Amino acid sequence: MIETIKKLIIKYKEIITYVIAGALATFVNWAAYAICTRIIPPATPTGLSEFQLGICNAIAWVAGVLFAFFTNKLWVFESKSFAPKLLVKEFISFVAARGVTGVMETVGPPLLVKAGLNQTVLGIEGMLAKLIVSVIVVILNYVFSKLIVFRKKKEDK
C-alpha cells in the first residue's frame, strides 16, 4: 500500500507540486491584499474607495504572480537556469500567460452569469460561474506553463 502511494506521488509529482504552489500563491495574493488594505489610508470616512481596492488587488496580483513564477520555475517545472536570456523569456511569457487568464478570470464569471449560469453555491450568488472559470483558469495556467513557459527542450529530457 505504501509503495503504491509512493509510486503515485512520484508519477504525479509535477501536478501535486503545482497544486501546492498554486495554493501558496493564492495565500500570498490574499495576504498582500489584506496588508495593502490595512496600510493605505481610507479615502472616505466609510473606508477605502473602489479605486484604492483596485490598487490593492493589482498589488496582490503582482505579488501572487511573482511568487507563482519562482515556485513554478524552480519547484514545479524544475527550470533551474538563471541565464539572463532564458530568465527574461520565461518571465515575460509567464506574466503574459497569467495576464490572459487573469482577464478570463475577470470577465468570465459575469459573462457566464449573463448566459444563465447564475446559480448560487454555498449561499454565494454566481458562484457556479466563478467555479467553472476558476477550474478553466487553473488548467490553462498549467498548460501554458508546461507547454510554453517552462517547456523542456528535447536535449533536456
Side-chain angles (χ1 to χ4, degrees):
M1 177 71 167
I2 291 180
E3 282 303 313
T4 303
I5 293 170
K6 282 182 184 178
K7 286 179 185 176
L8 286 172
I9 288 172
I10 290 167
K11 183 177 180 178
Y12 296 107
K13 176 186 175 219
E14 187 176 271
I15 291 172
I16 293 166
T17 56
Y18 181 78
V19 169
I20 294 168
L24 292 171
T26 299
F27 175 78
V28 167
N29 179 302
W30 292 353
Y33 182 81
I35 290 166
C36 184
T37 61
R38 303 279 190 287
I39 291 173
I40 293 180
T44 68
T46 58
L48 298 174
S49 68
E50 288 179 10
F51 177 76
Q52 288 175 310
L53 292 173
I55 294 295
C56 289
N57 196 49
I59 290 168
W61 183 83
V62 168
V65 168
L66 285 173
F67 181 86
F69 172 73
F70 287 105
T71 56
N72 277 263
K73 177 176 177 49
L74 298 172
W75 192 39
V76 178
F77 299 104
E78 299 180 355
S79 175
K80 306 291 186 186
S81 173
F82 278 86
K85 186 176 177 183
L86 177 64
L87 184 64
V88 168
K89 178 192 161 291
E90 288 176 340
F91 183 74
I92 289 172
S93 58
F94 187 85
V95 171
R98 293 297 168 109
V100 167
T101 57
V103 169
M104 289 176 65
E105 199 163 7
T106 302
V107 301
L111 289 175
L112 289 179
V113 165
K114 190 172 185 170
L117 289 173
N118 189 10
Q119 290 74 10
T120 299
V121 176
L122 301 172
I124 303 169
E125 186 178 339
M127 192 62 179
L128 179 61
K130 177 70 172 163
L131 289 169
I132 290 169
V133 171
S134 293
V135 168
I136 292 168
V137 164
V138 167
I139 292 168
L140 283 176
N141 281 338
Y142 178 79
V143 169
F144 289 158
S145 291
K146 181 155 182 80
L147 300 180
I148 298 170
V149 179
F150 302 111
R151 179 182 62 225
K152 296 197 185 316
K153 294 179 184 169
K154 288 187 180 186
E155 63 267 13
D156 292 344
K157 290 182 181 179

